[in-house]
C-alpha cells in the first residue's frame, strides 16, 4: 500500500479520535467548570440537606457561581457541613448571605441558592455562612398540610 | 576465507542429541557431522524428526541433552544476540516456502536485506534482482505469494535464503510435492548454489533418488538414531538391512508394515469375546 | 467422583498454563515496544488495518445506538414530563457504558478476530518461524506493532462512537421528537462530568483496548497451527474478549462510579 495514503489516513483517524474526545469534553461535559480552578471555599451547616449531592450547583439570583465541593456530617453539631467552592470572580458576598437548599423543578436536582444580605464585609476563604435554610422534606410538608386541613 | 579451515573443521557437529516432544522421544543419542562446503542429506522415514533436527540446528528448539555446534559455537548456549548473528549466516528453506504473505515477491527477497542492512534502495534492488535472476524468477517480482505455485514459492524462498549470502543453507523437504520438472529445477538450483557459492547444504528429505544424486554425504536416521552415514557409495556398499529397506523402498522389513500393536488374531478373538459377554 | 475431580484439576492446570503463557507473551511484547517507534511504518500500517478500517462500523453503530437511545429515552422520560433530560440520559449512557463496551465488543469482532486469524495463519504457514530463522524477532516485527495499534485505536474509536452517538440521539430527540436543542445540550452538560464520566469512560476503553488486543494477538500466537486451530482461536478471541470486557466493565464501574 502507498505509504503516503497510509500516513494520511492514520493521521486523519487519530485526529478524528482526538476531535471526538474534544467534542465530548466541551460540548457534552462540563469541562468549563474545571477550567477556572480559581475558587475560594466557604462552608455552611444545615439541619437537613435532603438530596443535595457533591458537585451540585451554587447560584446567586439563579446564576451559577460555584459548586458543592464536600458534604460531611459534623458529629459535634449534629448537622451536615457543606463546603461550597465559589469562583473567585464572585469575590464579594456579604457576611450575612443566606444559603438555602432548593429543588430545581418538582423532581429535579437540588442546589444551593445564595441570597446576599446587606453587610459591608465580604465572606473570605474559610468563613462560615451563618444563615442557612435546610432542604424541604416532602413528607414533612405533606404532613403539615394534612394537619392544617384536619384542624379546620 | 582460508582453505585449510574450510576443509578441516566440520560446519555442524551434533553430539549425543536427546530431544523429547512431550513424552515422545524424538532423538535418542543422535550424533552426526556436516562437512563444510558439501551437500549433506539427512534421510529417514516421515515422523523421525528431520525437520526438528533443522530447528535444533537453527536454535529454535533446545535439546534436552547433548550438544550442537554450528561454526564452532554451541547453539543452545548462545545469547539471543549471538544466536541472531549466527542465524544471519544461515539460510533456511521451509517446506512451504514460508513467504511473508503481506509482501510481494520482490519485497520478500528484500526482507532480510531491509531488516539487517542499511543499504541504499538502488543497491537493494540490484541485489534482489540478482538473487531472483539466479532462481529464474526475476520477471515474477511483482506477484504476490498467493499467485505462485508451490515450486515457484520454494524458488523465491531460496532466493530469500541466499539474500544475505549465508555460509550454510538448511533445506526442509525441498522436493516434497513437486512435479518432475519443478523437482528437476530445484535439484539443479541446490546443486548450483552449493557449487557456485561454496555453501554448506543440509538437506532433509525422504526422496531417495534425487537426494542421492546431489549429495556428497548421506545420513540415514530412524528411531532417533543414526542408522548409516557416509558418502553415497559407502552407504550403498555397507548397507544395513534397515537402510536397504529404506533406500529401495520395500514395504516390509525391519520397519514393519503394521503399526505396532497386538496381533490381528488376538484383536479378532477379543472382539468375539466381548460380543459374547 | 475421583475422575471428575481429576478432570477439574486438569482443566484448572491447563487454564493456569494458558494464563502463564499469555503473561510471558505479554511481557515480551511490552519489552519489545521500542520497535513501535523505531519501526513506525509498520505501526502505521497496523493502526490503519486495526483502527482506520474499524472506523466505519464504529461510526455507523454509534449513530444507531445513539438514535435508539434517543428514542427509548424519550419514551420513558416524556411520561415524567422530563423530556428535556434526554440529552443527559443519552450522553451518560454513551460516555460511561455503551461507548467503551459496545466499541470493545465490535472491535473484538472486527479487528480482534482478524488479528488472531492473521497471526495464526502466519504461524501455520511457518512465516513466524521463517522470520526467526532470518534473525528477525517476530515480537518486534509482528506482535509489538499490532499490540500497540490496538491499544491506541480503542480509546479513539470509543470516543468517536460516543460523539457520533450523542449526535444520533440529538437527531432523533431534537429532530424527530421535538426536544428543544438548547435543552438537549445544556442538560447534557449539566449532568455529564468531565472527570467522573468522560475520563472514566476513556480509562475503561483504554483497559478494554489493552485486554482485547492482548487476547487477540496471544490467541493467534498460541493457536494450534492447523486450519481448525485457527478457527478455534478466532472464536476464542471473540468469546473471551466479550467475557473479559463485560466482566471488567462491572469491576471498573464498581471502582469508578461509587
Amino acid at each position: 500500500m502507498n505509504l503516503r495514503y497510509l500516513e494520511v489516513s492514520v493521521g486523519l483517524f487519530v485526529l478524528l479520535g482526538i476531535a471526538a474526545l474534544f467534542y465530548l469534553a466541551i460540548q457534552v461535559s462540563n469541562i468549563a467548570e474545571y477550567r477556572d480552578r480559581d475558587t475560594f471555599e466557604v462552608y455552611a451547616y444545615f439541619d437537613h440537606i435532603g438530596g443535595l449531592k457533591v458537585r451540585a450547583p451554587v447560584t446567586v439570583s439563579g446564576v451559577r457561581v460555584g459548586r458543592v465541593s464536600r458534604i460531611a456530617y459534623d458529629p459535634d453539631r449534629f448537622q451536615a457541613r457543606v463546603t461550597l467552592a465559589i469562583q473567585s470572580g464572585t469575590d464579594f458576598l456579604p457576611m450575612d448571605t443566606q444559603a438555602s437548599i432548593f429543588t430545581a423543578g418538582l423532581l429535579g436536582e437540588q442546589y444551593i441558592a445564595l441570597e446576599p444580605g446587606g453587610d459591608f464585609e465580604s465572606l473570605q476563604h474559610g468563613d462560615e455562612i451563618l444563615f442557612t435554610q435546610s432542604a424541604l422534606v416532602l413528607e414533612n410538608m405533606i404532613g403539615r398540610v394534612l394537619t392544617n386541613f384536619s384542624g379546620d | 576465507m582460508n582453505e585449510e579451515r574450510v576443509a578441516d573443521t566440520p560446519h555442524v557437529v551434533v553430539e549425543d542429541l536427546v530431544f523429547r516432544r512431550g513424552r515422545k522421544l524424538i532423538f535418542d543419542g543422535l550424533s552426526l557431522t556436516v562437512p563444510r562446503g558439501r551437500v549433506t542429506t539427512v534421510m529417514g522415514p516421515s515422523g523421525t524428526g528431520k525437520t526438528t533436527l533443522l530447528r535444533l540446528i537453527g536454535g529454535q528448539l533446545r535439546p534436552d541433552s547433548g550438544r550442537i555446534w554450528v561454526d564452532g559455537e554451541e547453539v543452545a548456549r548462545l545469547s539471543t544476540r549471538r544466536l541472531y548473528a549466527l542465524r544471519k549466516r544461515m539460510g533456511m528453506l521451509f517446506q512451504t516456502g514460508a513467504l511473508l504473505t503481506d509482501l510481494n515477491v520482490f519485497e520478500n527477497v528484500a526482507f532480510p536485506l531491509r531488516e539487517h542492512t542499511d543499504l541504499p534502495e538502488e543497491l537493494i534492488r540490484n541485489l534482489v534482482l540478482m538473487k531472483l535472476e539466479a532462481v529464474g524468477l526475476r520477471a515474477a517480482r511483482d506477484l504476490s505469494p498467493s499467485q505462485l505455485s508451490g515450486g515457484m514459492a520454494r524458488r523465491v524462498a531460496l532466493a530469500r535464503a541466499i539474500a544475505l549470502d549465508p555460509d550454510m543453507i538448511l533445506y526442509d523437504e525441498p522436493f516434497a510435492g513437486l512435479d518432475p520438472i519443478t523437482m528437476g529445477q530445484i535439484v539443479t538450483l541446490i546443486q548450483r548454489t552449493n557449487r557456485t557459492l561454496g555453501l554448506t547444504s543440509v538437506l532433509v528429505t525422504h526422496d531417495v533418488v534425487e537426494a542421492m544424486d546431489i549429495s556428497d554425504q548421506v545420513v540415514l536416521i530412524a528411531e532417533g538414531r543414526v542408522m548409516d552415514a557416509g558418502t553415497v557409495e559407502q552407504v550403498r556398499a555397507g548397507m544395513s538391512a534397515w537402510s536397504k529397506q529404506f533406500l529401495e523402498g520395500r514395504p516390509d522389513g525391519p520397519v514393519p508394515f503394521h503399526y505396532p500393536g497386538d496381533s490381528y488374531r488376538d484383536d479378532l478373538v477379543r472382539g468375539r469375546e466381548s460380543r459374547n459377554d | 467422583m475421583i475422575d471428575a475431580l481429576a478432570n477439574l484439576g486438569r482443566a484448572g492446570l491447563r487454564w493456569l498454563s494458558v494464563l502463564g503463557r499469555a503473561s510471558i507473551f505479554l511481557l515480551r511484547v511490552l519489552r519489545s515496544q521500542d520497535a513501535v517507534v523505531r519501526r513506525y511504518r509498520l505501526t502505521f500500517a497496523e493502526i490503519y488495518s486495526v483502527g482506520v478500517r474499524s472506523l466505519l462500523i464504529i461510526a455507523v453503530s454509534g449513530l444507531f445506538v445513539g438514535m435508539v437511545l434517543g428514542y427509548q429515552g424519550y419514551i420513558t422520560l416524556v411520561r415524567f414530563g422530563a423530556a428535556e433530560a434526554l440529552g443527559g440520559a443519552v450522553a451518560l449512557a454513551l460516555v460511561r457504558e455503551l461507548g467503551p463496551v459496545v466499541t470493545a465488543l465490535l472491535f473484538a469482532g472486527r479487528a480482534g478476530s482478524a488479528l488472531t486469524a492473521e497471526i495464526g495463519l502466519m504461524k501455520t504457514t511457518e512465516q513466524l518461524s521463517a522470520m526467526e530463522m532470518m534473525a528477525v524477532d517476530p515480537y518486534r516485527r509482528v506482535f509489538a506493532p499490532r499490540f500497540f495499534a490496538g491499544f491506541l485505536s480503542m480509546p479513539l474509536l470509543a470516543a468517536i462512537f460516543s460523539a457520533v452517538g450523542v449526535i444520533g440521539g440529538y437527531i432523533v430527540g431534537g429532530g424527530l421528537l421535538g426536544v428543544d436543542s438548547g435543552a438537549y445540550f445544556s442538560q447534557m452538560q449539566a449532568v455529564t462530568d468531565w472527570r467522573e464520566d468522560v475520563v472514566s469512560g476513556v480509562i475503561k476503553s483504554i483497559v478494554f483496548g489493552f485486554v482485547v488486543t492482548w487476547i487477540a494477538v496471544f490467541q493467534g500466537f498460541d493457536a494450534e497451527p492447523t486450519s481448525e486451530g485457527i478457527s478455534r482461536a478466532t472464536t476464542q478471541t471473540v468469546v473471551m474478549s466479550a467475557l473479559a470486557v463485560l466482566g471488567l466493565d462491572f469491576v471498573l464501574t464498581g471502582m469508578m462510579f461509587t
Side-chain angles (χ1 to χ4, degrees):
Chain A
M1 190 170 307
N2 188 340
L3 186 64
R4 164 97 322 144
Y5 171 71
L6 207 69
E7 282 173 350
V8 169
S9 59
V10 168
L12 216 61
F13 166 63
V14 173
L15 203 69
L16 210 61
I18 292 173
L21 267 180
F22 260 96
Y23 179 79
L24 292 181
I26 289 163
Q27 181 74 15
V28 175
S29 80
N30 58 347
I31 197 173
E33 274 175 44
Y34 286 89
R35 219 170 18 207
D36 39 27
R37 300 242 108 213
D38 245 9
T39 55
F40 66 96
E41 290 191 333
V42 295
Y43 62 95
Y45 285 94
F46 293 93
D47 293 328
H48 199 295
I49 59 165
L52 191 71
K53 297 265 161 45
V54 172
R55 284 199 299 114
V58 175
T59 63
V60 178
S61 318
V63 180
R64 187 174 187 147
V65 296
R67 60 202 173 89
V68 172
S69 62
R70 202 160 44 247
I71 297 174
Y73 174 66
D74 187 333
D76 297 332
R77 290 179 59 160
F78 305 111
Q79 276 182 317
R81 180 189 158 114
V82 176
T83 310
L84 316 176
I86 294 168
Q87 290 157 20
S88 329
T90 324
D91 51 4
F92 189 84
L93 281 174
M95 281 299 278
D96 55 351
T97 293
Q98 181 181 321
S100 322
I101 298 177
F102 288 149
T103 307
L106 195 58
L107 295 166
E109 228 186 330
Q110 286 187 304
Y111 66 98
I112 291 187
L114 299 179
E115 285 155 53
D119 207 302
F120 292 111
E121 238 180 296
S122 173
L123 285 167
Q124 299 297 317
H125 177 75
D127 284 349
E128 181 188 346
I129 297 177
L130 292 167
F131 304 100
T132 62
Q133 185 192 324
S134 288
L136 289 175
V137 181
L138 207 57
E139 289 86 337
N140 292 349
M141 260 166 50
I142 292 168
R144 210 175 303 146
V145 169
L146 287 180
T147 14
N148 282 356
F149 272 124
S150 57
D152 279 347
Chain B
M1 204 48 83
N2 74 57
E3 288 297 319
E4 282 92 328
R5 194 182 77 114
V6 169
D8 288 352
T9 57
H11 204 140
V12 179
V13 179
V14 177
E15 201 180 84
D16 267 335
L17 175 68
V18 177
F19 182 78
R20 280 185 196 82
R21 174 160 287 151
R23 284 198 192 134
K24 200 181 166 213
L25 195 61
I26 308 270
F27 296 121
D28 182 14
L30 183 98
S31 300
L32 57 84
T33 56
V34 174
R36 207 174 278 273
R38 301 283 169 75
V39 179
T40 302
T41 301
V42 178
M43 284 192 271
S46 321
T48 40
K50 300 187 297 292
T51 304
T52 310
L53 181 64
L54 292 188
R55 285 180 189 253
L56 282 158
I57 293 174
Q60 288 191 313
L61 298 172
R62 275 165 191 279
D64 289 315
S65 76
R67 296 196 269 189
I68 298 171
W69 284 274
V70 175
D71 240 351
E73 300 192 84
E74 194 183 337
V75 178
R77 293 228 178 137
L78 292 176
S79 65
T80 313
R81 186 183 297 266
R82 299 275 302 280
L83 180 63
Y84 274 28
L86 180 67
R87 281 181 186 165
K88 283 184 206 169
R89 291 184 272 131
M90 213 190 266
M92 178 146 168
L93 186 72
F94 286 83
Q95 191 174 343
T96 52
L99 298 177
L100 306 182
T101 38
D102 53 340
L103 303 177
N104 65 15
V105 166
F106 182 94
E107 286 301 323
N108 259 290
V109 179
F111 180 81
L113 296 168
R114 292 199 200 285
E115 289 289 331
H116 295 307
T117 67
D118 282 323
L119 299 176
E121 191 53 40
E122 185 63 23
L123 199 54
I124 287 187
R125 191 183 126 88
N126 289 346
L127 281 170
V128 171
L129 292 186
M130 190 174 93
K131 306 293 178 190
L132 280 174
E133 176 70 19
V135 298
L137 288 175
R138 190 171 41 79
R141 70 190 126 177
D142 291 326
L143 298 183
S144 79
S146 57
Q147 292 170 290
L148 301 176
S149 69
M152 283 163 88
R154 231 168 275 180
R155 279 150 74 189
V156 174
L158 181 59
R160 185 178 67 178
I162 57 174
L164 285 174
D165 291 323
D167 313 330
M168 172 168 73
I169 300 193
L170 311 172
Y171 297 90
D172 185 8
E173 300 281 4
F175 312 120
L178 294 182
D179 62 82
I181 299 176
T182 322
M183 177 113 72
Q185 289 171 337
I186 298 278
V187 168
T188 318
L189 273 175
I190 293 176
Q191 246 173 335
R192 207 160 60 194
T193 42
N194 180 251
R195 294 226 185 94
T196 54
L197 304 176
L199 297 175
T200 306
S201 308
V202 181
L203 267 77
V204 143
T205 181
H206 48 235
D207 289 282
V208 176
V209 183
E210 290 74 20
M212 293 295 252
D213 277 353
I214 57 170
S215 304
D216 297 311
Q217 199 206 355
V218 180
V219 179
L220 295 175
I221 60 172
E223 293 153 31
R225 275 169 295 131
V226 173
M227 290 300 192
D228 261 311
T231 62
V232 176
E233 292 74 30
Q234 282 170 340
V235 170
R236 280 230 167 90
M239 270 194 290
S240 62
W242 184 89
S243 308
K244 212 178 183 74
Q245 188 198 350
F246 181 76
L247 294 178
E248 291 171 7
R250 296 203 187 129
D252 213 348
V255 180
F257 173 73
H258 292 287
Y259 189 83
D262 302 341
S263 82
Y264 187 34
R265 193 167 150 268
D266 289 351
D267 240 0
L268 291 175
V269 169
R270 204 175 307 131
R272 192 182 305 152
E273 279 167 357
S274 64
R275 210 169 331 136
N276 290 348
D277 281 348
Chain C
M1 181 61 195
I2 300 285
D3 264 9
L5 268 178
N7 277 337
L8 198 69
R10 214 166 305 145
L13 281 180
R14 203 172 52 235
W15 267 98
L16 274 183
S17 93
V18 168
L19 189 65
R21 262 177 294 154
S23 306
I24 293 167
F25 175 78
L26 179 68
L27 223 64
R28 286 193 64 182
V29 170
L30 292 181
R31 237 178 17 205
S32 309
Q33 284 295 313
D34 61 302
V36 168
V37 182
R38 232 177 267 174
R39 318 208 46 184
Y40 63 94
R41 285 184 179 195
L42 286 174
T43 313
F44 273 18
E46 290 312 321
I47 297 175
Y48 178 81
S49 72
V50 165
V52 177
R53 290 174 66 183
S54 306
L55 203 53
L56 192 67
I57 183 177
I58 294 292
V60 172
S61 311
L63 189 69
F64 279 115
V65 168
M67 281 162 55
V68 169
L69 274 178
Y71 199 66
Q72 294 284 16
Y74 180 83
I75 290 172
T76 311
L77 288 171
V78 82
R79 273 196 270 173
F80 302 104
E84 287 72 34
L86 182 65
V90 169
L92 277 190
L94 279 169
V95 168
R96 283 182 168 192
E97 293 294 339
L98 293 173
V101 171
V102 176
T103 306
L105 295 179
L106 290 171
F107 186 81
R110 163 70 186 74
S113 58
L115 276 178
T116 305
E118 189 193 14
I119 293 174
L121 204 65
M122 289 178 91
K123 186 181 181 187
T124 309
T125 54
E126 296 184 304
Q127 293 182 51
L128 297 179
S129 241
M131 274 187 202
E132 274 183 27
M133 284 305 295
M134 285 187 277
V136 175
D137 185 358
Y139 282 87
R140 298 167 155 274
R141 179 66 172 66
V142 178
F143 306 140
R146 281 170 176 73
F147 184 81
F148 178 80
F151 179 62
L152 175 87
S153 300
M154 183 68 125
L156 297 179
L157 289 171
I160 291 168
F161 184 97
S162 297
V164 172
V166 164
I167 295 167
Y170 174 68
I171 290 173
V172 169
L176 300 178
L177 302 172
V179 174
D180 179 57
S181 77
Y184 183 86
F185 283 110
S186 67
Q187 238 292 313
M188 194 182 286
Q189 286 181 2
V191 181
T192 315
D193 187 59
W194 162 249
R195 201 163 51 200
E196 209 151 290
D197 300 321
V198 179
V199 173
S200 302
V202 171
I203 291 173
K204 270 188 182 179
S205 63
I206 289 175
V207 173
F208 295 163
F210 187 88
V211 171
V212 170
T213 324
W214 179 21
I215 291 174
V217 177
F218 174 71
Q219 283 292 341
F221 169 78
D222 205 46
E224 201 185 306
T226 59
S227 42
E228 198 205 359
I230 294 178
S231 97
R232 200 165 358 155
T234 312
T235 313
Q236 279 278 312
T237 292
V238 176
V239 171
M240 282 179 55
S241 298
L243 287 178
V245 164
L246 295 172
L248 274 173
D249 185 47
F250 177 72
V251 174
L252 289 174
T253 303
M255 271 164 56
M256 295 191 299
F257 303 108
T258 39

